[in-house]
Amino acid sequence: MRKVLFILFLLIGLTASSQCISNQSSTLIPAGPYQPGDVVTVNYTLGDFTGINVNWIHAFQINLGVGWTNLTPILTPGNPFGSAGFWLWDLQNIYPGGFNFGPGWRFVNAGNAGWGTSSDGPFTMSFQVTVAPTCTPDNLSISIEVFDDCITGGWNNGGCCNDPAYNIYNGAVQITPIITSNINHF
C-alpha cells in the first residue's frame, strides 16, 4: 500500500509542476542543409499557453547559432482574447526585474507594464535569417524560448519559470570544397 501511495503522490507532484507550453510546431523554408547566402524563413506556432498560478505569457526569445545573420521579423504573434496591449519586436531589453531579453517579441501590456498577456494562444510567428558568409562549418542552431511574467519579473508566483527551449534546427554550414588543378613546378 505504501508503494501505491508513493507512486500516486509522485505522479501528482509531476503533474503539478508540468510545463505551461504545449503543441509547439515549426517549419523551415527551404529545408536544410544550408550554404552561405541561403535565406531561410522560419515559421513557429505555440498552440497553447496555460499559465500556472496566473502566470501570463510575456516573450518569445529567438536563439541562433553563430552561423546566422540578418534576423528579420516577418509575422508578429497574435493576441487572441488577451489583455490590452501589443507584441513588440525587440533586439535587446532589460526588464525592471533585471532579466535580459532578446532578440524576439515581447508583449507590452497596456494595463500593467510588468505583465504579459492573458491570452492562451495560439501564437504564430515567422522570421527570416541568412547564412553568414564563412569558410568554416559554423553552428546553425535555431531555438525559441517562451518566457512568462514570472521569469521577466512582473509576477512572483512561479509555475512556468523553467520551460525548456523549443529546438527548431540543428546543423552546420555546408561548405562547398574548393577544387583546384595540379600545380606544375618546372
Side-chain angles (χ1 to χ4, degrees), residues 148-162:
D148 66 7
D149 46 21
C150 169
I151 289 284
T152 61
W155 184 250
N156 61 9
N157 194 359
C160 305
C161 295
N162 294 312

PDB file of all heavy atoms in Angstrom, residues 148-162:
ATOM      1  N   ASP A 148       7.376  33.607 -19.357  1.00  0.00           N
ATOM      2  CA  ASP A 148       6.187  34.194 -18.753  1.00  0.00           C
ATOM      3  C   ASP A 148       6.609  35.334 -17.833  1.00  0.00           C
ATOM      4  O   ASP A 148       7.791  35.616 -17.671  1.00  0.00           O
ATOM      5  CB  ASP A 148       5.363  33.139 -18.018  1.00  0.00           C
ATOM      6  CG  ASP A 148       6.077  32.553 -16.815  1.00  0.00           C
ATOM      7  OD1 ASP A 148       7.160  33.033 -16.451  1.00  0.00           O
ATOM      8  OD2 ASP A 148       5.540  31.614 -16.226  1.00  0.00           O
ATOM      9  N   ASP A 149       5.621  36.012 -17.252  1.00  0.00           N
ATOM     10  CA  ASP A 149       5.950  37.168 -16.425  1.00  0.00           C
ATOM     11  C   ASP A 149       6.561  36.785 -15.079  1.00  0.00           C
ATOM     12  O   ASP A 149       7.031  37.642 -14.347  1.00  0.00           O
ATOM     13  CB  ASP A 149       4.778  38.143 -16.272  1.00  0.00           C
ATOM     14  CG  ASP A 149       3.457  37.477 -15.949  1.00  0.00           C
ATOM     15  OD1 ASP A 149       3.456  36.332 -15.462  1.00  0.00           O
ATOM     16  OD2 ASP A 149       2.424  38.112 -16.201  1.00  0.00           O
ATOM     17  N   CYS A 150       6.626  35.503 -14.773  1.00  0.00           N
ATOM     18  CA  CYS A 150       7.390  35.041 -13.607  1.00  0.00           C
ATOM     19  C   CYS A 150       8.884  35.212 -13.892  1.00  0.00           C
ATOM     20  O   CYS A 150       9.636  35.685 -13.042  1.00  0.00           O
ATOM     21  CB  CYS A 150       7.058  33.585 -13.313  1.00  0.00           C
ATOM     22  SG  CYS A 150       8.141  32.793 -12.130  1.00  0.00           S
ATOM     23  N   ILE A 151       9.323  34.851 -15.095  1.00  0.00           N
ATOM     24  CA  ILE A 151      10.730  34.986 -15.484  1.00  0.00           C
ATOM     25  C   ILE A 151      11.116  36.454 -15.624  1.00  0.00           C
ATOM     26  O   ILE A 151      12.186  36.866 -15.197  1.00  0.00           O
ATOM     27  CB  ILE A 151      10.984  34.269 -16.831  1.00  0.00           C
ATOM     28  CG1 ILE A 151      10.923  32.771 -16.661  1.00  0.00           C
ATOM     29  CG2 ILE A 151      12.309  34.669 -17.450  1.00  0.00           C
ATOM     30  CD1 ILE A 151      12.124  32.139 -16.026  1.00  0.00           C
ATOM     31  N   THR A 152      10.259  37.241 -16.250  1.00  0.00           N
ATOM     32  CA  THR A 152      10.619  38.633 -16.551  1.00  0.00           C
ATOM     33  C   THR A 152      10.494  39.556 -15.340  1.00  0.00           C
ATOM     34  O   THR A 152      10.913  40.701 -15.404  1.00  0.00           O
ATOM     35  CB  THR A 152       9.745  39.175 -17.692  1.00  0.00           C
ATOM     36  OG1 THR A 152       8.369  39.137 -17.283  1.00  0.00           O
ATOM     37  CG2 THR A 152       9.937  38.357 -18.964  1.00  0.00           C
ATOM     38  N   GLY A 153       9.911  39.068 -14.256  1.00  0.00           N
ATOM     39  CA  GLY A 153       9.862  39.859 -13.030  1.00  0.00           C
ATOM     40  C   GLY A 153       8.556  40.577 -12.778  1.00  0.00           C
ATOM     41  O   GLY A 153       8.418  41.296 -11.798  1.00  0.00           O
ATOM     42  N   GLY A 154       7.550  40.397 -13.656  1.00  0.00           N
ATOM     43  CA  GLY A 154       6.280  41.082 -13.473  1.00  0.00           C
ATOM     44  C   GLY A 154       5.340  40.374 -12.502  1.00  0.00           C
ATOM     45  O   GLY A 154       4.366  40.952 -12.042  1.00  0.00           O
ATOM     46  N   TRP A 155       5.640  39.111 -12.195  1.00  0.00           N
ATOM     47  CA  TRP A 155       4.790  38.320 -11.312  1.00  0.00           C
ATOM     48  C   TRP A 155       5.711  37.395 -10.534  1.00  0.00           C
ATOM     49  O   TRP A 155       6.661  36.858 -11.082  1.00  0.00           O
ATOM     50  CB  TRP A 155       3.795  37.520 -12.156  1.00  0.00           C
ATOM     51  CG  TRP A 155       2.776  36.731 -11.385  1.00  0.00           C
ATOM     52  CD1 TRP A 155       2.718  35.376 -11.284  1.00  0.00           C
ATOM     53  CD2 TRP A 155       1.664  37.225 -10.634  1.00  0.00           C
ATOM     54  NE1 TRP A 155       1.645  34.998 -10.528  1.00  0.00           N
ATOM     55  CE2 TRP A 155       0.974  36.123 -10.113  1.00  0.00           C
ATOM     56  CE3 TRP A 155       1.185  38.501 -10.351  1.00  0.00           C
ATOM     57  CZ2 TRP A 155      -0.165  36.245  -9.332  1.00  0.00           C
ATOM     58  CZ3 TRP A 155       0.059  38.612  -9.576  1.00  0.00           C
ATOM     59  CH2 TRP A 155      -0.610  37.512  -9.073  1.00  0.00           C
ATOM     60  N   ASN A 156       5.456  37.229  -9.255  1.00  0.00           N
ATOM     61  CA  ASN A 156       6.398  36.455  -8.455  1.00  0.00           C
ATOM     62  C   ASN A 156       5.839  35.129  -7.965  1.00  0.00           C
ATOM     63  O   ASN A 156       6.387  34.531  -7.063  1.00  0.00           O
ATOM     64  CB  ASN A 156       6.896  37.280  -7.266  1.00  0.00           C
ATOM     65  CG  ASN A 156       5.773  37.687  -6.333  1.00  0.00           C
ATOM     66  OD1 ASN A 156       4.644  37.239  -6.463  1.00  0.00           O
ATOM     67  ND2 ASN A 156       6.091  38.555  -5.392  1.00  0.00           N
ATOM     68  N   ASN A 157       4.771  34.655  -8.562  1.00  0.00           N
ATOM     69  CA  ASN A 157       4.175  33.392  -8.158  1.00  0.00           C
ATOM     70  C   ASN A 157       4.543  32.346  -9.208  1.00  0.00           C
ATOM     71  O   ASN A 157       3.833  32.162 -10.181  1.00  0.00           O
ATOM     72  CB  ASN A 157       2.656  33.545  -8.026  1.00  0.00           C
ATOM     73  CG  ASN A 157       2.049  32.372  -7.289  1.00  0.00           C
ATOM     74  OD1 ASN A 157       2.725  31.442  -6.898  1.00  0.00           O
ATOM     75  ND2 ASN A 157       0.743  32.436  -7.100  1.00  0.00           N
ATOM     76  N   GLY A 158       5.684  31.684  -9.040  1.00  0.00           N
ATOM     77  CA  GLY A 158       6.256  30.783 -10.038  1.00  0.00           C
ATOM     78  C   GLY A 158       5.337  29.681 -10.510  1.00  0.00           C
ATOM     79  O   GLY A 158       4.290  29.424  -9.949  1.00  0.00           O
ATOM     80  N   GLY A 159       5.736  29.042 -11.562  1.00  0.00           N
ATOM     81  CA  GLY A 159       4.973  27.935 -12.117  1.00  0.00           C
ATOM     82  C   GLY A 159       5.507  27.527 -13.470  1.00  0.00           C
ATOM     83  O   GLY A 159       5.674  26.368 -13.748  1.00  0.00           O
ATOM     84  N   CYS A 160       5.781  28.474 -14.338  1.00  0.00           N
ATOM     85  CA  CYS A 160       6.278  28.181 -15.682  1.00  0.00           C
ATOM     86  C   CYS A 160       7.683  28.734 -15.858  1.00  0.00           C
ATOM     87  O   CYS A 160       8.101  29.053 -16.957  1.00  0.00           O
ATOM     88  CB  CYS A 160       5.371  28.802 -16.732  1.00  0.00           C
ATOM     89  SG  CYS A 160       3.658  28.321 -16.572  1.00  0.00           S
ATOM     90  N   CYS A 161       8.381  28.876 -14.788  1.00  0.00           N
ATOM     91  CA  CYS A 161       9.669  29.570 -14.833  1.00  0.00           C
ATOM     92  C   CYS A 161      10.779  28.777 -15.494  1.00  0.00           C
ATOM     93  O   CYS A 161      11.839  29.322 -15.739  1.00  0.00           O
ATOM     94  CB  CYS A 161      10.093  29.970 -13.425  1.00  0.00           C
ATOM     95  SG  CYS A 161       8.977  31.185 -12.696  1.00  0.00           S
ATOM     96  N   ASN A 162      10.570  27.508 -15.784  1.00  0.00           N
ATOM     97  CA  ASN A 162      11.645  26.710 -16.358  1.00  0.00           C
ATOM     98  C   ASN A 162      11.219  25.928 -17.589  1.00  0.00           C
ATOM     99  O   ASN A 162      11.649  24.801 -17.787  1.00  0.00           O
ATOM    100  CB  ASN A 162      12.195  25.741 -15.292  1.00  0.00           C
ATOM    101  CG  ASN A 162      12.863  26.480 -14.166  1.00  0.00           C
ATOM    102  OD1 ASN A 162      13.669  27.365 -14.391  1.00  0.00           O
ATOM    103  ND2 ASN A 162      12.508  26.133 -12.949  1.00  0.00           N
TER     104      ASN A 162
END
